[in-house]
Each structure stands twice: as C-alpha cells, then as structure tokens.
Amino acid sequence: MSKDDKQGLSLIEKAAARLNKTPEGKVEEIPEPVPVLAQKPAPEKQRNENAAPVNIDISLLKAKGFVTPDGERSNLAEEFRFIKRPLLANAFGRNSDLVDHGNMIMVTSSTAGEGKTLTTINLAMSIAMEMDKTVLLVDADVGRAQIHKILGTPLGPGLIDLLTDENLNVSDVILRTSLPKLRIIPMGRFHPHANELLAGQGMLRLIQELATRYSDRVVIFDSPPLLMTNEAVVLAGLMGQIVFVVESDKTSQGSVKEALSLLDTSKPIGLVLNKASQHREVGYYGYDSYAYSENDGA
C-alpha cells in the first residue's frame, strides 16, 4: 500500500468511523483454469467515451439564464470568468505553489437550496469555454441529483454504479456531450447507502484515479451540502479545492461558520455569494452577483 493510500484511508477512518473496514490479508484460492470454449463472454460495456455524444440543448440553457459557450458576453459570464481564474491558477499555474490535486474541485454549500448545483453547471460551462481545458462534471449529490434534469442527460449508469460494480471502469460511465470539452459522470442508480458510498474506500480509489489519469482535466464534483451529511465532509477532504456557495440574505451566518469549520482551511476555499441584491442582469433562476474570495485560514 502506498503512502498516499495510507493517508487516504486514515482520513476516511477518522471522518466515517461507522463504515466497515475491508478485511485485509485474505488470500483467495486461485481456481483451476477454465477451458477457453467454456468461458462466458465478457459483459458488454454499458458506455464509454467513444459512444455517440449526448446532446445538450444550449438554446434552452441560455433561455434559463445559464452560461453558454456561444461567446456572448453577459454579467453572469463575466462573473464566472472571475470565479474560475484562481481555480485554474491553483491547478495549472506556472508558479511553484500549485495546489496538490488542484484539478479536483468540489462545489458545496451549508444547506440545500442555495444554488449549489446551478453554480456547478455554470462553472463547468465557463471552464469548458477555455481553449485548452476539458471539464469532467461529476454528479455526487447522490441524495438530490439535479444535473441530469437540468442538462437533459441520462441518470445512469454513473457514479453509484461505478462504486458498486467491480466490472465497471471509469470510462464506462463517462458521458461525452455535444459540447466538445464537457464530459459528465451522472449519479447513476439509486442505492439505499449512497451517501455512505461517498466515504468508502471505492470513492478514495476513484478520486486518486481521476486525479492522476485525468490530471489535464478539471474535475468538478457537485456534492451534498456539508451540514446534511457527514460523508460530504469526507469527500471534501479528498479534493484539492473547494467552492462554497452561500445564498445572500437567506443562509445564516451561523450555518456558514459551522460548515466552514468542517473544512480543511489549508486548502483554497472559494466563497461564491449567490443572489446578491445588486442591480444587475438577473437570470431565470434568480442569479445576480457573485463574489469570490480566498479563505485565509482564519
């Protein structure tokens, strides 16, 4: 077991102690070779990145007020340009202070209904407009998945299937889309212990694989709110950067402080203020002004 694996397992054991540990040291018997003619054919891959791309209706998203890759300048598009710059600099900048696994970005909030998923989609769209960046959008809000509804993409197979089916690989659940630089891993099928899966060893291995195998991509996770499930805190510990969404004039200061206290403040934590009461262009979902600031660890 590598040093990184040991550190990752230590984190999971501390933050999700109720999870059952996988027994170690068990030696499995090697079965006798099966004649070639008697072997069953390998299961057919359910999906891979060579499949036909899933169409995303850009005109519909634009009508609903989302950032779209048509080059049109708007207040919302400019605000997300401002939000994404420090994230990209931390992940791919030329200085020596690059964030470890900085391409792994989690978008979260303290409670539900603060605009977290809408912020996630807009951020993914904005980064996908970069000339040299491909975005992998992962729907990890397993209790309240919305990305497939908004983008009109299939619900699965996806993340949950990947964590529960050892025959699946990452490439089997990645959706290519009609936007050349946007890929999606949907939530997948319902599972009664979906939240617990986010804190399991399978998720740790997946994060490590995505961070290394897709190191040239920006991987954005739409996660559960921090105060609604302990597993979201574990997931945050595996990320390189955190984007924390706060709904203006609604989210209490106490909730924000409590949620932020659960995060590792040695990592970059961007604060996005959603629905701020300023006189700017307002989208269909009530988007208004966004503010981004680096958490100083205080």
Side-chain angles (χ1 to χ4, degrees):
M1 181 180 293
S2 69
K3 182 178 180 182
D4 287 342
D5 286 340
K6 292 180 180 178
Q7 292 176 344
L9 289 176
S10 176
L11 171 63
I12 289 178
E13 289 168 356
K14 291 179 181 179
R18 66 179 181 277
L19 295 175
N20 294 324
K21 295 181 181 179
T22 301
E24 298 180 356
K26 181 179 179 181
V27 179
E28 296 182 357
E29 296 183 359
I30 301 176
E32 292 294 329
V34 179
V36 175
L37 294 177
Q39 289 180 342
K40 295 181 179 180
E44 183 180 354
K45 297 296 185 183
Q46 299 185 53
R47 179 192 296 142
N48 57 55
E49 291 194 81
N50 295 320
V54 175
N55 183 60
I56 293 179
D57 191 336
I58 296 301
S59 61
L60 180 60
L61 289 178
K62 184 176 180 179
K64 291 183 176 181
F66 283 91
V67 174
T68 54
D70 55 10
E72 182 176 331
R73 303 187 76 86
S74 65
N75 287 333
L76 186 61
E78 289 301 314
E79 286 161 352
F80 272 96
R81 286 189 178 96
F82 179 67
I83 291 169
K84 71 181 176 182
R85 288 303 167 206
L87 296 171
L88 294 176
N90 287 335
F92 306 106
R94 298 179 180 178
N95 58 58
S96 60
D97 297 325
L98 293 180
V99 174
D100 187 31
H101 291 174
N103 65 316
M104 308 295 289
I105 301 171
M106 170 174 155
V107 183
T108 189
S109 58
S110 57
T111 59
E114 300 189 59
K116 170 184 60 64
T117 298
L118 306 182
T119 299
T120 303
I121 292 174
N122 277 326
L123 179 61
M125 289 288 183
S126 183
I127 295 178
M129 294 165 62
E130 294 287 311
M131 297 297 294
D132 59 347
K133 293 293 179 291
T134 298
V135 180
L136 176 58
L137 176 57
V138 183
D139 192 348
D141 192 355
V142 294
R144 200 166 175 268
Q146 296 292 317
I147 288 178
H148 68 288
K149 295 179 181 179
I150 296 172
L151 297 183
T153 55
L155 179 59
L159 177 63
I160 298 302
D161 305 277
L162 190 60
L163 296 176
T164 56
D165 187 348
E166 61 182 12
N167 293 318
L168 287 177
N169 297 315
V170 174
S171 59
D172 298 329
V173 300
I174 292 180
L175 278 173
R176 278 201 311 140
T177 74
S178 53
L179 304 181
K181 297 180 180 179
L182 178 65
R183 306 286 192 272
I184 299 172
I185 295 181
M187 186 196 82
R189 66 184 177 88
F190 170 79
H191 192 282
H193 301 294
N195 280 318
E196 285 78 4
L197 288 170
L198 294 183
Q201 296 181 28
M203 193 66 182
L204 169 62
R205 289 190 291 268
L206 174 61
I207 296 296
Q208 292 173 335
E209 179 179 358
L210 292 176
T212 54
R213 180 177 177 181
Y214 299 104
S215 59
D216 59 336
R217 295 185 183 184
V218 179
V219 185
I220 304 177
F221 286 76
D222 182 24
S223 88
L226 292 170
L227 298 183
M228 297 187 69
T229 167
N230 292 332
E231 288 76 19
V233 180
V234 178
L235 185 60
L238 303 176
M239 297 291 139
Q241 303 189 72
I242 308 294
V243 174
F244 186 83
V245 180
V246 178
E247 183 175 353
S248 178
D249 300 324
K250 178 181 178 181
T251 310
S252 70
Q253 187 178 37
S255 294
V256 173
K257 288 183 176 181
E258 182 181 357
L260 289 176
S261 72
L262 301 174
L263 298 175
D264 178 1
T265 54
S266 67
K267 298 181 179 183
I269 301 174
L271 301 180
V272 174
L273 185 62
N274 184 25
K275 303 179 184 178
S277 56
Q278 297 182 12
H279 297 291
R280 293 191 179 185
E281 176 184 339
V282 179
Y284 181 85
Y285 286 104
Y287 275 77
D288 196 348
S289 179
Y290 288 79
Y292 185 96
S293 62
E294 288 295 323
N295 186 292
D296 59 6

